[in-house]
Amino acid sequence: MMTLEDLIQSLTPEVYENLKNAVALGKWPNGVALKDGQRELCLEAILHYEVTHDVPMEQRVGFVAGACSSGNVDKIGRDDDDVQPLTIQ
């Protein structure tokens, strides 16, 4: 029986890129739309792949340069009252 870890270790860089594109575009390379739940599963596989294959932090999905550092939000020139948490939808 194959585990999630086995599956992630077996992903090729090409499959990883296809998963990233599918998540970004909402459709598979053949044009078929992702079904309910597939985007989340693909994103989970992408994140696991990036960690297990030591993808540099700045190349990982969702990386925002200077956005967070040790849990502190970088204000980027704003007053304290104007700082809003970063949310991803």
Side-chain angles (χ1 to χ4, degrees), residues 57 64 66-75 83-86:
M57 188 65 69
V64 179
C68 295
S69 174
S70 302
N72 298 320
V73 176
D74 185 357
K75 296 176 190 168
V83 175
Q84 298 295 318
L86 176 66

Side-chain angles (χ1 to χ4, degrees), residues 39-59:
R39 179 173 272 154
E40 291 83 9
L41 290 173
C42 289
L43 187 54
E44 184 177 349
I46 291 165
L47 297 174
H48 280 285
Y49 177 94
E50 291 175 343
V51 170
T52 60
H53 288 83
D54 296 322
V55 173
M57 188 65 69
E58 62 277 1
Q59 294 176 13

Side-chain angles (χ1 to χ4, degrees), residues 18-38:
N18 284 338
L19 289 172
K20 287 190 345 182
N21 287 331
V23 167
L25 300 174
K27 60 184 178 179
W28 295 111
N30 65 1
V32 174
L34 294 174
K35 294 182 181 178
D36 290 342
Q38 287 181 325

